[in-house]
Amino acid sequence: MLDVVAVVLAALACVLAGLALRRTTSRPSGEGVDALPEDVHGLRQEVAALKAENADALRHLSVVRYDAFGDVGGHLSWSLALLDDAGHGTVLTSIHGRSEARTYAKSVAGWTCEQQLSPEELEAIEHARP
C-alpha cells in the first residue's frame, strides 16, 4: 500500500515539474530578447540618475586620532572629514585636554578650506580624497 502511494506522489511530482518547466520556457508575446535593449537603456538612465543624485552625498570620510597635548595620552583628540565627490563638506575637530574638550567645525570647498587647518585636519581631508 505504501509503495502505491509513493508511486502516485512521484508521478504527480513529475507532472508538476513538467508544468513548471513549460511555464519558464514559454514567453508571453511582446517579451524576450527584442525587449532587452529597451530595458538596458532604461537601466542605464536610472544608474546615471542615481550617480548624479549621489554626487552631493557625504560619501568620503576619514578620522584621524591623535594626542593634542604631550601630557594627555590615549589618542582622545580627533579630526573627522565629511566630504562629497567634489570635496565640499566639513571637517570636525575635537581637542581633548586634561580638564576640558573643545570642538571645532570648518567648511571645506573643493578639498581646501579658507581657514587655517591643523596638520591633522589636512591629513583627514587627504585620507578622505578618493
Side-chain angles (χ1 to χ4, degrees):
M1 179 70 176
L2 191 58
D3 294 335
V4 174
V5 172
V7 170
V8 170
L9 286 175
L12 183 63
C14 287
V15 169
L16 290 175
L19 288 174
L21 182 62
R22 202 168 166 195
R23 272 193 205 148
T24 59
T25 57
S26 65
R27 291 193 172 117
S29 61
E31 290 184 13
V33 177
D34 296 336
L36 185 62
E38 292 176 19
D39 292 344
V40 171
H41 180 68
L43 287 173
R44 285 185 178 159
Q45 286 180 333
E46 287 183 41
V47 168
L50 288 172
K51 281 183 179 180
E53 190 176 305
N54 243 357
D56 294 335
L58 299 176
R59 301 182 319 133
H60 307 284
L61 60 102
S62 175
V63 177
V64 175
R65 294 181 53 151
Y66 55 95
D67 292 327
F69 305 105
D71 63 340
V72 178
H75 296 293
L76 298 176
S77 298
W78 49 267
S79 293
L80 168 66
L82 297 164
L83 305 165
D84 65 7
D85 288 344
H88 302 299
T90 188
V91 175
L92 302 173
T93 298
S94 181
I95 299 177
H96 290 262
R98 283 204 179 275
S99 60
E100 65 183 8
R102 294 182 183 248
T103 304
Y104 304 93
K106 297 178 183 176
S107 294
V108 178
W111 306 101
T112 61
C113 182
E114 290 182 6
Q115 299 166 318
Q116 186 175 358
L117 295 172
S118 70
E120 294 82 11
E121 291 168 332
L122 287 169
E123 183 180 351
I125 290 172
E126 285 305 312
H127 285 298
R129 189 184 291 247

